[in-house]
Amino acid sequence: MNRRSFVRRSLAGAAGAAAATVSVRARSESREVAPHANPAAFELDELTVADLQAGMSSGKYSARSLTEKYLDRINDIDKRGPALKSVIEVNPDAESIAAEMDRERKAGRLRGPLHGIPVLIKDNIDTHDRMMTTAGSLALTGSIPSQDSTVARKLREAGAVIIGKTNLSEWANFRSSHSSSGWSARGGQTKNPYVLDRNPCGSSSGTGAAIAANLAAVGVGTETDGSVVCPSNACSLVGIKPTLGLISRAGIIPIAHSQDTAGPMCRTVMDAALLLAGIAGFDSRDPVTKSGAGQSRERYYTTSLDPNGLRGARIGVQRKSHGFNDAVDKLMHDSIDVLKRLGAIVIDPADIPTQGKFDDSEFEVLLYEFKADLNKYLSSLGPSAPVKSLKDVIDFNEKNRDRELRYFGQDIMIKAQAKGPLTERKYRMALAKNHRLTRTLGIDAVMNKHRLDAIIAPTGGPPWPTDLVNGDHFTGGYSSASAVAGYPHITVPAGYVFGLPVGISFFGRAWSEATLIKFAYAYEQATKARRAPKFLETANLD
């Protein structure tokens, strides 16, 4: 299996199905299918971090009341009603943690903009509390790490209230080449809150569906190639896949250290920027963060939140990522018109010259690193860990085929297990090729040639119908060059096709988060494309 086939089926690099054309700011004019059980209106729908902070400051809300409201909403529409299956476990201590944040607020101690804010994190991010960390696998049932991941620790230090863990594609979708995104043996199949029979994409599918459905204020996902940006695309969210080294990976169940990173998944650019600042920074547990330690990062990226931020910007168009869906092409055409209206200079085309030339080498690197990195993670859990190696996981799945291998197998894990150590020449050559083709001869080359500040592309197509029999149905989009290079990538809602979300990607050089946030914010403020989901049973194609 080549790497392109792998990304399309396993790492959620793109998504979509052919559909009719709508404009960037258009709202569906066709008849909508009736919502599932007509979920009741929710008091906190679409409220931002700033809205919630204002409510807590005025006394309208408290951290505890917000936590209670979100937990009730999870029970109402995630566990019952539409039954999204986006939250795999709730935190039994969430209300007491929130009450402590209220006491600190009353005493005049505010930790920052995340103080008292309820957050959901993906179930591959370690927490040392009464929640498990399992990557959705029954093989890790009961696993409670000995310490928080750095991401969880930073969230707690910032005053955020971790109210639960989100479902995901099991093992972050690095198990089978025929998987269904959003399915795990522990959590079941996550649904897309916009249209319930459609896929939320992923592996950060649970975070995408939950935050889109307003089950928490903000969420954290993880990405190796597309797993923050694709579910954000499919669930009409802002997703930020940062530069490798901006956020620590310590205590996150890995796929590959050369590409893995956590990232914010939120309903607005401002919320995503606040969350990014809250979880970023140097960590002695993850040496790669040394490369980001010297990067200037304005506090909470507040000066990047400029509605005029695109004026004079040179924006390239990655045309090689277009052409897979007429409706998506129309949305991108309208988006380019918005950029021009906001004062951007658009260079079209500005294609990455090496696109498609690093497909096989990416997959080769991921196979090698998955075996090495997962074995290291599992061994760190100590003698009480249910499984201690990748081979143990493979054996567990075989012994529990009725639960773990019911819909699809574990061919990717078997390929990874067959790999040798990271000292092998084949691995080292593939990694060097990846970096050369995606960095020096890839993104950097096209940006130097056209003197670009950023590049745009469609993140993906509208989400496809979930298919447990045949797996995912990707058709096109963008994620791989930025993922393999370890460079930043932001997706923002661009519009809808038959009520199905589509996003636009802004990406560029390493450490350009502040610039990309500025462009994404200006675009978001001009288009206001996002709208809340209606939990439709199926898409109306009339």
Side-chain angles (χ1 to χ4, degrees):
M1 179 183 63
N2 65 32
R3 212 284 317 167
R4 173 57 55 198
S5 174
F6 164 70
V7 165
R8 288 184 175 177
R9 290 190 176 274
S10 296
L11 287 188
T21 300
V22 294
S23 69
V24 172
R25 303 191 67 176
R27 298 295 184 258
S28 174
E29 297 177 357
S30 61
R31 175 180 57 82
E32 290 183 321
V33 177
H36 183 289
N38 202 15
F42 181 43
E43 179 183 355
L44 305 181
D45 263 351
E46 300 298 291
L47 295 190
T48 66
V49 168
D51 294 332
L52 298 178
Q53 289 293 357
M56 286 188 283
S57 295
S58 70
K60 180 179 180 180
Y61 301 124
S62 65
R64 181 159 189 162
S65 72
L66 291 176
T67 296
E68 290 171 346
K69 289 177 190 295
Y70 281 122
L71 289 174
D72 286 345
R73 189 62 167 175
I74 290 169
N75 187 55
D76 288 343
I77 70 170
D78 197 71
K79 306 307 177 189
R80 300 185 296 178
L84 299 177
K85 296 186 179 180
S86 65
V87 178
I88 204 167
E89 184 173 4
V90 295
N91 186 354
D93 299 316
E95 292 177 53
S96 61
I97 295 169
E100 176 59 28
M101 293 303 102
D102 288 332
R103 286 190 285 271
E104 289 190 8
R105 182 182 293 271
K106 187 175 181 180
R109 181 190 174 195
L110 290 179
R111 303 188 184 197
L114 297 180
H115 189 107
I117 298 297
V119 58
L120 284 165
I121 65 175
K122 189 175 177 180
D123 182 40
N124 61 349
I125 301 174
D126 285 355
T127 55
H128 180 61
D129 50 22
R130 290 198 286 166
M131 292 187 290
M132 296 180 284
T133 303
T134 68
S137 173
L138 298 175
L140 282 177
T141 299
S143 178
I144 297 178
S146 61
Q147 61 180 318
D148 275 342
S149 62
T150 302
V151 165
R153 176 178 61 79
K154 283 182 170 289
L155 286 170
R156 298 191 205 276
E157 290 173 350
V161 181
I162 301 173
I163 64 171
K165 298 281 191 77
T166 55
N167 198 9
L168 68 162
S169 308
E170 189 174 304
W171 294 110
N173 232 347
F174 208 75
R175 201 192 84 179
S176 169
S177 55
H178 303 101
S179 64
S180 172
S181 290
W183 182 90
S184 72
R186 185 174 170 225
Q189 176 64 56
T190 304
K191 300 175 186 176
N192 191 309
Y194 285 87
V195 179
L196 298 173
D197 65 1
R198 298 273 165 163
N199 197 274
C201 199
S203 68
S204 303
S205 45
T207 304
I211 301 306
N214 288 274
L215 303 186
V218 294
V220 180
T222 66
E223 173 163 329
T224 304
D225 187 338
S227 284
V228 163
V229 296
C230 189
S232 295
N233 173 84
C235 297
S236 202
L237 294 178
V238 176
I240 301 180
K241 197 289 292 185
T243 305
L244 197 72
L246 188 63
I247 297 174
S248 171
R249 290 87 50 85
I252 297 178
I253 298 176
I255 290 180
H257 62 265
S258 65
Q259 294 181 206
D260 287 351
T261 181
M265 298 173 67
C266 305
R267 293 182 293 272
T268 69
V269 174
M270 180 180 287
D271 284 357
L274 294 174
L275 183 55
L276 179 64
I279 60 177
F282 171 72
D283 177 23
S284 60
R285 294 174 62 195
D286 185 359
V288 76
T289 59
K290 292 180 181 179
S291 59
Q295 301 298 324
S296 61
R297 192 175 74 256
E298 297 164 356
R299 188 69 169 162
Y300 303 117
Y301 300 99
T302 51
T303 60
S304 294
L305 302 174
D306 179 4
N308 298 310
L310 278 159
R311 187 172 298 163
R314 292 180 62 84
I315 307 295
V317 179
Q318 164 73 2
R319 277 289 159 192
K320 288 183 178 179
S321 296
H322 293 64
F324 60 89
N325 182 297
D326 290 343
V328 174
D329 285 349
K330 178 60 167 61
L331 280 172
M332 287 300 298
H333 178 273
D334 293 343
S335 294
I336 291 169
D337 284 346
V338 170
L339 300 181
K340 291 177 178 177
R341 176 165 55 82
L342 294 174
I345 301 163
V346 176
I347 293 84
D348 186 5
D351 287 321
I352 298 169
T354 54
Q355 188 75 28
K357 297 180 180 179
F358 49 86
D359 295 350
D360 293 339
S361 56
E362 180 190 6
F363 189 41
E364 189 73 13
V365 166
L366 299 187
L367 290 173
Y368 270 98
E369 292 188 0
F370 182 63
K371 180 182 179 180
D373 295 350
L374 185 62
N375 284 344
K376 181 179 179 180
Y377 171 84
L378 293 174
S379 67
S380 75
L381 296 177
S384 62
V387 288
K388 298 176 173 58
S389 68
L390 172 58
K391 185 175 187 307
D392 287 350
V393 174
I394 294 170
D395 291 344
F396 177 92
N397 291 340
E398 287 294 341
K399 292 175 183 176
N400 295 272
R401 292 188 67 87
D402 57 331
R403 296 183 294 166
E404 282 286 357
L405 305 181
R406 179 179 179 185
Y407 298 113
F408 43 85
Q410 54 180 339
D411 59 293
I412 292 175
M413 284 187 160
I414 292 169
K415 288 183 175 73
Q417 177 61 26
K419 294 298 180 183
L422 300 186
T423 54
E424 287 191 353
R425 185 174 184 274
K426 188 175 183 180
Y427 162 75
R428 292 185 288 106
M429 293 294 289
L431 182 63
K433 176 183 176 182
N434 285 348
H435 289 166
R436 183 175 67 255
L437 293 183
T438 59
R439 297 175 180 177
T440 310
L441 302 179
I443 293 172
D444 292 337
V446 68
M447 294 190 74
N448 288 338
K449 178 180 178 180
H450 297 291
R451 295 179 291 114
L452 300 177
D453 297 302
I455 307 171
I456 61 168
T459 312
W464 61 93
T466 294
D467 184 353
L468 288 169
V469 175
N470 297 301
D472 291 333
H473 306 297
F474 298 113
T475 57
Y478 176 80
S479 71
S480 291
S482 296
V484 177
Y487 286 6
H489 176 187
I490 300 178
T491 182
V492 184
Y496 300 84
V497 174
F498 291 122
L500 300 166
V502 174
I504 180 174
S505 290
F506 293 82
F507 59 99
R509 303 178 190 274
W511 314 113
S512 62
E513 280 82 359
T515 297
L516 298 179
I517 288 170
K518 179 172 65 174
F519 297 159
Y521 181 79
Y523 174 87
E524 173 197 57
Q525 295 303 298
T527 58
K528 300 287 187 181
R530 176 179 161 81
R531 65 174 185 262
K534 294 187 177 180
F535 310 98
L536 305 182
E537 288 278 13
T538 192
N540 177 33
L541 305 182
D542 292 342

